[in-house]
Amino acid sequence: MVVHEREPFNAEPLRAALAGRQETPVDTFYSRNHGPIPEIDPTTWRLRLGGLVARVLELSLKDLRARFEEVEVVATLQCAGNRRAGLAAVRDIPGEDPWGPGATSTARWSGVRLADVLAAAGLRAQAAHIAFAAPDISQLADPPQPYGGSIPTTKAQGPEVLLAWAMNGRPLPPVHGGPLRAVVPGWIGARSVKWLTSVTAQTEPSDNYFQATAYRILPAEADPDHAGPGDGISLGPIALNCDILSPDDGANLSPGPAEITGYALAGDDRSVARVDVSLDEGLSWRQAELDRPDSPWTWQLWHITLDLPAGETQVIARAWDCTGAVMPESPAHLWNPKGYANNSWARARVTCR
């Protein structure tokens, strides 16, 4: 793992650890935290579901297992800051971790549908947003506050959105949100809130710092230290993205045929339609082979074998989604003061001798 911070703990796997794996091992899954990992006793933990509902519920893990159908969803989570290093190379982004392409991982999540729990509480018609709250206190907020966020009710009622207690067949470890976390496939990882303590149905989005102020794309000229609630564009669905996992950036290879592999992810309910690879700065492209995804909510791995010439070559990849949208060429056109949503062409420089 590449550890960007120890406290709060933020780390991503190396490219090679993700390459060729449809699912990411638990100990390789990226970790994004905003405060210390809370210590929670699963036996005394309770989830409170309230707000615009007919019945307030207070549920233990045993209650969730007994009252609702257990389901499994294979889904990719991706940090909004994934590939931030590419934006930081254009212009400095102070105070933000320089995430590479590994702030994205895929797991089998087990739990119950959020929609089923909302239905049991009697969700009221005026509830337009579902807010999540956790106990981890973040010093990044001003003033410091527990982490939280929300999603629209229309998304929350999708069968893919879970209250999850396990990943890859194992109980959620504390670093990944145990005993219970939200899993919101297709949306930025910040909305899959860990260590859930409450779910609240309400008319407006959460006023938590990490929904109202952070995780918003500000104009390039904005000062993020003076951004207030509602400034910029609130991030929700993941932007179309891909990257190269093998060969690694900076690799030394032999000239000749080489397999080039990577991942592509369209976000929300879109799918990846095509991945192109270029060895000549985008003057010509070859179409890679796309593996079938494990579910509608996961990345798609891709691969292609190309002849690499002697000397230095920049391998470039771009993805298209089912709407015909394509990744933009340059990170310079996407730069923003917090370094979110870099989905410019993926690049890996290799040297063949």
Side-chain angles (χ1 to χ4, degrees):
M1 300 289 280
V2 177
V3 178
H4 296 295
E5 290 182 272
R6 292 287 179 183
E7 188 67 49
F9 182 67
N10 288 296
E12 64 179 298
L14 298 170
R15 293 174 190 258
L18 295 177
R21 296 177 181 268
Q22 290 282 4
E23 295 179 9
T24 310
V26 173
D27 59 1
T28 306
F29 204 98
Y30 86 95
S31 184
R32 174 67 174 112
N33 300 291
H34 300 80
I37 297 169
E39 295 183 8
I40 300 174
D41 182 352
T43 62
T44 59
W45 169 91
R46 296 293 185 272
L47 175 71
R48 186 181 190 278
L49 197 148
L52 296 173
V53 294
R55 296 168 292 281
V56 174
L57 302 181
E58 189 168 292
L59 303 164
S60 65
L61 282 175
K62 184 177 180 181
D63 294 332
L64 287 168
R65 290 178 179 273
R67 294 183 56 176
F68 304 98
E69 177 188 8
E70 181 175 348
V71 295
E72 184 178 270
V73 172
V74 184
T76 299
L77 298 187
Q78 186 169 104
C79 178
N82 187 51
R83 302 184 62 212
R84 178 181 284 136
L87 296 177
V90 174
R91 181 176 160 191
D92 192 26
I93 304 174
E96 298 293 339
D97 292 333
W99 294 98
T104 184
S105 304
T106 300
R108 288 180 293 112
W109 306 96
S110 302
V112 298
R113 299 182 189 92
L114 175 57
D116 292 347
V117 181
L118 292 173
L123 188 66
R124 298 191 184 279
Q126 61 268 42
H129 299 270
I130 305 300
F132 304 121
D136 53 318
I137 304 294
S138 176
Q139 300 297 318
L140 301 175
D142 185 17
Q145 62 181 261
Y147 188 85
S150 64
I151 58 175
T153 298
T154 50
K155 178 63 177 179
Q157 292 180 311
E160 74 279 3
V161 179
L162 300 187
L163 301 177
W165 56 65
M167 61 187 298
N168 293 351
R170 295 162 52 186
L172 275 176
V175 73
H176 291 304
L180 193 82
R181 71 175 296 168
V183 173
V184 185
W187 282 49
I188 61 168
R191 306 303 175 225
S192 292
V193 176
K194 302 176 184 178
W195 312 296
L196 277 182
T197 54
S198 70
V199 175
T200 305
Q202 52 195 53
T203 58
E204 300 294 332
S206 170
D207 61 1
N208 185 275
Y209 172 84
F210 294 98
Q211 180 80 40
T213 302
Y215 290 106
R216 306 179 77 92
I217 293 185
L218 299 170
E221 68 278 6
D223 181 352
D225 292 333
H226 292 90
D231 290 349
I233 302 168
S234 180
L235 291 168
I238 296 168
L240 170 67
N241 216 332
C242 83
D243 214 316
I244 299 161
L245 296 177
S246 179
D248 202 350
D249 186 45
N252 291 300
L253 307 172
S254 298
E259 185 178 44
I260 301 166
T261 69
Y263 68 78
L265 181 65
D268 205 18
D269 58 356
R270 292 167 285 116
S271 60
V272 177
R274 194 172 87 211
V275 171
D276 301 329
V277 179
S278 175
L279 301 180
D280 56 10
E281 296 292 336
L283 295 177
S284 64
W285 298 90
R286 291 278 303 278
Q287 189 171 333
E289 183 175 340
L290 273 172
D291 292 346
R292 293 179 62 86
D294 281 355
S295 88
W297 305 105
T298 65
W299 58 20
Q300 288 181 250
L301 301 183
W302 55 266
H303 53 94
I304 188 173
T305 299
L306 296 176
D307 281 324
L308 297 179
E312 190 174 90
T313 299
Q314 185 165 230
V315 182
I316 300 175
R318 67 182 184 188
W320 302 72
D321 73 15
C322 58
T323 71
V326 64
M327 292 166 57
E329 176 180 354
S330 173
H333 301 154
L334 300 171
W335 191 92
N336 60 90
K338 300 294 285 184
Y340 294 136
N342 178 19
N343 70 334
S344 60
W345 293 357
R347 300 170 186 268
R349 195 172 295 278
V350 300
T351 302
C352 295
R353 295 187 176 89

